[in-house]
Amino acid sequence: MHAAMPGGRGDGAAFLGRTGELAELRRLYGEASAGRPRLVVVEGPAGIGKTALVRCFVTDTARGGVLTAAGEENEAELPYGVLSRLLGRPVRTDPLTAGAELLESLGELQHDEPVVLVVDDTHWADTPSLRALTFALRRLRADHVLCLLTLRDLDDRRIPGGLRRILTDDTAVRLRLAGLAAVDLVGLSARFLTEPLPADAARRLHTHTRGNPLHCRALLEEVPAAVLRSAAATLPAPQSYTRFVLDRLARCGPPARDLVQAAAVLGMRCTLIRAAHLADVAEPPAALGEALAHGLLQEAAHDAVTGIAFTHPLVRAAVYHQLGPVRRTALHTRAAESEDDEFTRLHHRAFAAHGPDDRLAAELADCARRRAAVCRWVEAAPLLRYAARLTTPPSERGRLDCEAIEAYLFDGREEEADSVAAALPDATDPAVRCCARGHLALVAGRITQARTLLDEAWRLRTPGADAGLEERIAEQYVMVHMMGGHASQVCRWAEPARRDGGRARSGGTLRFIHLAALGQLGAFDEGFRLAEALPQAALVGPEDIELLMGRAALYLYSDRTTQARQDLERAVELVRRGPVPLRVIALAVLAKTEFLCGSWDSAMTRWETASSVAADLGQGWIAPVVHAEAALPLAARGEYARAEEHLRIARGNPVIQESAMVELFVTYGRAFLAFVRGDHSAAVDLLRTLVVHEDLDLTAEPSLVAWRDLLAEALVGAGRLDEAEEVLAALELRALRRSRASTLAAVCRIRGTLYAARREPKPARDAFTEALDRADGAGLPFERARTELDFGAFLRRTGRRAPALEHLRAARSRFAGLGAVPFLERCDRELTACGAALEGAPTASEALPWARERLTPQEHAVAQLAATGLTNRQIARELVLSAKTVEYHLSHAYAKLGIRSRVELVARVAAPTEGSGTSG
């Protein structure tokens, strides 16, 4: 181990023991060198040598780039403090963007040697940094990266759940450190004593300290050598590590002591000039030299100026906690006066306070609300927590904590919100408490509990006394009713939830949900009127993302998929730095639009990204819908295992038991998979369970989820023709009332199959002909291909071979472009039955576009974007991967396609076109 304190009896240069752990780290470093990213958790109590082990490994082994940072107890509420130190620049964004920036930095550093990423004292790291780290770690695929995290206990509640799941995964390596062996203590004693301890004395020392390096070093420093060697002597308990540090601090002269104390207030590391100015030290180099000699500080790189850092986080903690209230207040106050950034200035002022301060609490709350107004929840939350700590009235303390809960939830930090909610003061206004807890229950997917709490909040409020509270309650009601499928109630509560010219006060979903609800009710004129001030998509700014998405929903429901796609592509571009829930929704709705337009590759990529983002950013309430929809193109392409996995995840989310909306999407996904596999009865059984939701506002719009279409088609396939006719009749009435061309196209096609099953050729032919016209008008390539197939099969059965061949071949071409293998195979069966010569013709899988047949889905997605001219870095940003992973997939694509350049790639990967199945 590194002796943490140079300048005493030890020379501080040696690392002893841990040979097995070092060997394991070197082995994992070798795996990272081969492009297999590895994650290691070094776990153990304070002082056991975690930091020293990692430092020794990095010093002796790492040959490439190293990113390192440490969590700090006093800075656990400073957003992105750890990530800022890792990247060497301030980070003021959100976990997704921050995680993407970390990925990009890791990609830039990967050259000939692996990058080593170290986060020391992870249990003290700020949550936003850990969430960004989680986001990045999930996306390391073929990167030359070794990530080392040190922490005391993996069960520490300060470790976010998402990161804990990664760290306990089978792919992560856990190194649990115990004390040093007795033989290692012999070597350690040689660094502190004139002669090393004999073996029996080392064993006695080991028994007394359990091999804890800090305790052993303290005794070697404090106890005379004769006592250490004597079998008859009783070894004293080692002084605490804090006392050990403070003894060293006391040996320093006043300037060095002041410098070290000022540095402790500024954090684990800072510039020498900043600490010297805060401490009012006239000769900074001399003071630093003394602190270095006593092992309290070390020099650290900091751009072009001298940087300083504590030798260990425990050293800084010991110095900071002994300052006393007067000295601590003075230093934090002075630090605040010289700080330009408002957030950091208020952070210092909050730590300077040593009792209630209502004036400062008001300033903190005001700043927090201004940050919240521009969706900077990551900064609003800690400011509100500081304000709550400093305010005097318990009721106001509770109100501020409830605002902090809201900020945490809008930032996707459910665990922290839950922690605050569990400790709300008894004096918290009951209505405010119920509103906050209702919001928490809603995000957690406990819809029934959320509704109960919001009902209570509304009942307990004093009408008109607190407009902000009423807006918050109303907004949560909007979400509850959306999840329940009650669009009319969404519209009822949307009005009292809005303010400031119609904008939401929240995380930015209100206007989108309101317009979508109006679309479900058929109130398109009202919806478009609310969005009439919006310019064309390319000119919309970030302040109107939700309204743009609402307009896109209206376009989508009314079969104007081209306009919907334009709005959603712009929304996805804008929302990268917008509210967390909108990111998932924007990606998912754009994926649905692309699926309808026939751009299946792009749709699948966006659904995969949306599901990953939902998992990373705590959006479990919407995740089942994303997974269920992601299963649709996979099922249609015959990728049944992947479709089943998405549906398994969707069904495992408990929100499905409480949300009619979620149940609708998930049940439809399961039924569609059963239908494509040919199990029509299973599809019918699943879809029949949705009849209980027949009268919900959510199901009034037939194009939202086409479950009635699928039910009618499955009933025909199961031979239950009269039931199918009854479903079709009701569906057609709905579609006619809404002038819904997409639904009418499906109705006509299914009616054609119904008439064909009844052997009524004339009405069947008429229905299929109308279906083709309607599918063309609606711009639905998959529906058009299915109609060509069903029409061709009908014509073959009625002996009209020539037109049958024409339709079947057209269908085959369209299905090949989409990659719809099960439907291609059915086409081939029909063509064979039609007497068409398939000898020498490509099989169903061979008929797929050449590149797609040979590439994995991820390779094909990367190749598609590369063929459009995007750079690796741009592709990485688009797919939320590391640049190294993009490079890996692209190199494999080149090898499989037998090409060497992007020029050749363009020729081999079909240019994106509508209905081709490629990204548009």
Side-chain angles (χ1 to χ4, degrees):
M1 58 169 287
H2 285 294
M5 294 293 174
R9 284 189 282 186
D11 64 12
F15 183 89
L16 298 168
R18 311 295 191 200
T19 54
E21 290 88 347
L22 285 171
E24 177 67 358
L25 290 176
R26 293 186 187 110
R27 183 186 70 80
L28 295 169
Y29 185 81
E31 292 191 5
S33 298
R36 296 189 295 275
R38 299 312 308 262
L39 171 61
V40 184
V41 184
V42 182
E43 193 176 359
I48 203 67
K50 303 182 294 294
T51 301
L53 171 68
V54 171
R55 185 188 298 138
C56 176
F57 163 73
V58 169
T59 301
D60 294 349
T61 306
R63 300 180 297 274
V66 178
L67 297 178
T68 181
E72 302 177 36
E73 182 179 2
N74 284 3
E75 296 186 2
E77 287 291 339
L78 280 180
Y80 301 113
V82 165
L83 187 62
S84 296
R85 289 190 286 275
L86 283 173
L87 299 180
R89 63 178 183 273
V91 176
R92 295 285 169 81
T93 181
D94 57 89
L96 192 154
T97 305
E101 290 178 5
L102 178 57
L103 270 178
E104 191 168 316
S105 292
L106 290 171
E108 291 171 351
L109 289 171
Q110 294 176 54
H111 299 299
D112 298 329
E113 299 292 343
V115 178
V116 178
L117 172 64
V118 178
V119 179
D120 200 9
D121 282 340
T122 305
H123 49 279
W124 291 126
D126 62 280
T127 300
S129 288
L130 293 183
R131 292 172 66 222
L133 177 65
T134 302
F135 184 88
L137 290 176
R138 289 186 193 277
R139 287 157 180 80
L140 297 176
R141 300 284 189 276
D143 297 79
H144 302 270
V145 174
L146 174 63
C147 180
L148 304 173
L149 307 183
T150 76
L151 47 81
R152 294 178 186 174
D153 185 352
L154 194 48
D155 293 328
D156 193 312
R157 61 189 300 275
R158 289 166 295 195
I159 305 298
L163 179 58
R164 185 181 294 109
R165 285 189 289 274
I166 294 177
L167 299 182
T168 54
D169 185 81
D170 291 341
T171 59
V173 176
R174 293 178 69 178
L175 297 181
R176 295 180 178 87
L177 299 191
L180 293 174
V183 66
D184 297 320
L185 297 187
V186 173
L188 179 63
S189 68
R191 305 295 177 182
F192 290 83
L193 307 176
T194 55
E195 293 182 9
L197 291 175
D200 59 340
R203 285 194 294 272
R204 190 165 56 255
L205 179 61
H206 182 272
T207 300
H208 185 66
T209 62
R210 297 185 179 180
N212 185 290
L214 283 181
H215 293 172
C216 291
R217 184 175 58 245
L219 288 177
L220 289 169
E221 284 261 343
E222 299 163 10
V223 179
V227 175
L228 291 169
R229 289 188 173 89
S230 173
T234 300
L235 292 177
Q239 296 181 32
S240 71
Y241 191 66
T242 297
R243 176 68 180 275
F244 182 58
V245 172
L246 297 184
D247 282 349
R248 288 299 180 84
L249 185 62
R251 297 176 199 171
C252 294
R257 191 161 54 245
D258 291 345
L259 180 72
V260 173
Q261 291 174 341
V265 165
L266 295 174
M268 266 297 291
R269 61 183 60 220
C270 60
T271 63
L272 175 59
I273 191 170
R274 176 108 163 89
H277 174 74
L278 181 58
D280 199 18
V281 172
E283 297 291 338
L288 175 60
E290 192 174 355
L292 294 174
H294 286 287
L296 296 166
L297 296 177
Q298 59 189 355
E299 291 190 79
H302 199 291
D303 298 330
V305 299
T306 302
I308 56 176
F310 284 91
T311 53
H312 193 282
L314 291 177
V315 177
R316 188 246 175 176
V319 173
Y320 182 82
H321 288 299
Q322 65 81 40
L323 286 174
V326 175
R327 178 70 168 151
R328 184 165 52 245
T329 295
L331 287 171
H332 273 297
T333 300
R334 188 166 183 184
E337 290 169 352
S338 61
E339 179 59 57
D340 293 330
D341 177 69
E342 182 185 26
F343 179 89
T344 308
R345 184 168 63 250
L346 286 171
H347 168 79
H348 279 297
R349 290 182 62 194
F351 273 84
H354 49 82
D357 186 335
D358 290 323
R359 183 175 177 180
L360 177 56
E363 288 186 56
L364 288 160
D366 176 69
C367 181
R369 288 160 185 155
R370 284 187 280 110
R371 301 292 168 116
V374 291
C375 297
R376 290 171 67 173
W377 305 109
V378 71
E379 296 171 355
L383 291 172
L384 288 164
R385 293 287 285 145
Y386 293 153
R389 177 170 60 85
L390 295 173
T391 198
T392 302
S395 60
E396 182 62 16
R397 213 162 41 239
R399 179 179 294 277
L400 290 167
D401 273 340
C402 286
E403 288 188 51
I405 290 170
E406 181 178 72
Y408 281 131
L409 292 175
F410 286 141
D411 198 41
R413 296 157 68 180
E414 183 184 336
E415 291 171 319
E416 287 164 279
D418 190 51
S419 177
V420 177
L424 286 173
D426 292 338
T428 305
D429 183 303
V432 174
R433 181 197 303 269
C434 288
C435 178
R437 289 182 170 170
H439 190 179
L440 180 59
L442 176 62
V443 172
R446 302 188 298 269
I447 310 301
T448 303
Q449 182 187 9
R451 175 66 185 271
T452 300
L453 286 164
L454 292 171
D455 286 346
E456 188 71 358
W458 192 255
R459 184 183 68 81
L460 293 171
R461 87 199 193 288
T462 301
D466 187 341
L469 174 61
E470 292 184 344
E471 289 164 4
R472 287 196 295 276
I473 298 172
E475 185 175 3
Q476 302 319 313
Y477 267 130
V478 165
M479 296 290 290
V480 165
H481 289 305
M482 176 199 72
M483 298 293 283
H486 304 290
S488 56
Q489 290 297 313
V490 167
C491 295
R492 173 197 164 196
W493 286 101
E495 288 302 325
R498 293 211 312 261
R499 73 174 185 184
D500 297 334
R503 287 193 174 85
R505 52 156 305 284
S506 75
T509 57
L510 179 66
R511 290 188 291 173
F512 163 70
I513 294 171
H514 186 196
L515 265 63
L518 288 171
Q520 293 168 20
L521 294 172
F524 289 92
D525 289 343
E526 182 180 352
F528 282 117
R529 180 183 58 76
L530 291 174
E532 65 184 356
L534 278 182
Q536 60 183 1
L539 301 178
V540 175
E543 69 280 1
D544 285 320
I545 301 172
E546 55 184 302
L547 194 59
L548 179 67
M549 289 174 56
R551 185 175 73 179
L554 296 173
Y555 283 142
L556 185 60
Y557 295 163
S558 56
D559 290 331
R560 286 177 273 184
T561 52
T562 300
Q563 294 98 317
R565 189 170 182 177
Q566 291 170 351
D567 279 0
L568 290 165
E569 285 174 343
R570 176 60 175 164
V572 165
E573 179 184 342
L574 292 172
V575 86
R576 285 173 179 162
R577 294 185 179 273
V580 168
L582 275 189
R583 296 183 189 199
V584 180
I585 297 171
L587 284 166
V589 179
L590 177 55
K592 175 68 170 285
T593 306
E594 290 175 330
F595 177 64
L596 293 174
C597 292
S599 300
W600 286 11
D601 290 330
S602 181
M604 290 167 66
T605 298
R606 294 194 197 277
W607 266 318
E608 293 286 353
T609 301
S611 62
S612 176
V613 171
D616 288 338
L617 300 185
Q619 301 302 302
W621 63 277
I622 193 65
V625 173
V626 178
H627 283 290
E629 296 239 280
L632 301 180
L634 294 169
R637 283 184 164 176
E639 297 183 45
Y640 300 138
R642 290 178 65 197
E644 285 175 342
E645 177 61 14
H646 275 288
L647 291 168
R648 182 193 67 78
I649 295 171
R651 293 178 66 191
N653 192 314
V655 72
I656 193 175
Q657 307 299 327
E658 301 203 38
S659 168
M661 180 193 77
V662 173
E663 182 188 356
L664 180 66
F665 279 94
V666 175
T667 302
Y668 177 78
R670 294 173 62 200
F672 184 75
L673 176 59
F675 179 84
V676 174
R677 283 178 149 170
D679 193 345
H680 298 143
S681 294
V684 169
D685 291 343
L686 284 165
L687 294 168
R688 279 296 191 193
T689 65
L690 298 179
V691 172
V692 296
H693 302 311
E694 180 73 26
D695 296 327
L696 281 181
D697 299 330
L698 177 70
T699 64
E701 173 47 58
S703 67
L704 179 62
V705 180
W707 69 275
R708 296 183 185 88
D709 317 34
L710 185 60
L711 174 59
E713 189 168 10
L715 286 167
V716 172
R720 296 158 65 173
L721 305 184
D722 291 343
E723 293 176 70
E725 185 171 28
E726 181 180 350
V727 172
L728 276 177
L731 177 59
E732 185 174 27
L733 285 176
R734 288 177 181 270
L736 287 170
R737 282 198 296 267
R738 297 286 180 93
S739 300
R740 198 61 66 243
S742 57
T743 305
L744 290 171
V747 166
C748 291
R749 174 178 58 81
I750 299 165
R751 179 159 280 134
T753 63
L754 173 64
Y755 286 139
R758 286 176 168 170
R759 293 182 171 79
E760 299 179 33
K762 174 65 167 61
R765 186 166 53 253
D766 292 344
F768 282 128
T769 301
E770 184 180 354
L772 287 175
D773 290 341
R774 289 189 178 279
D776 274 346
L780 303 171
F782 185 45
E783 181 61 35
R784 169 79 193 202
R786 295 185 69 186
T787 305
E788 297 272 19
L789 171 57
D790 290 344
F791 197 5
F794 161 73
L795 291 171
R796 178 189 67 76
R797 288 174 175 79
T798 56
R800 302 188 63 187
R801 180 175 178 276
L805 285 173
E806 179 183 349
H807 286 295
L808 290 172
R809 285 170 176 156
R812 193 175 197 275
S813 176
R814 292 180 188 275
F815 286 135
L818 294 168
V821 172
F823 296 89
L824 269 171
E825 291 171 342
R826 186 183 163 205
C827 272
D828 285 353
R829 291 194 295 271
E830 290 292 341
L831 285 166
T832 299
C834 206
L838 290 178
E839 188 174 336
T843 63
S845 60
E846 291 171 342
L848 299 177
W850 195 80
R852 186 187 298 125
E853 168 60 19
R854 287 156 177 78
L855 305 181
T856 67
Q858 195 75 72
E859 289 166 354
H860 192 258
V862 169
Q864 279 280 310
L865 293 173
T868 66
L870 295 184
T871 65
N872 284 6
R873 181 177 295 183
Q874 290 170 325
I875 296 170
R877 289 174 180 167
E878 182 72 19
L879 299 181
V880 201
L881 298 170
S882 72
K884 199 69 178 180
T885 298
V886 170
E887 179 185 320
Y888 172 83
H889 287 313
L890 203 53
S891 65
H892 277 241
Y894 279 17
K896 291 180 179 181
L897 299 177
I899 59 177
R900 296 183 178 180
S901 71
R902 295 201 178 206
V903 174
E904 294 177 275
L905 182 67
V906 173
R908 293 298 180 94
V909 178
T913 57
E914 293 295 332
S916 69
T918 60
S919 60

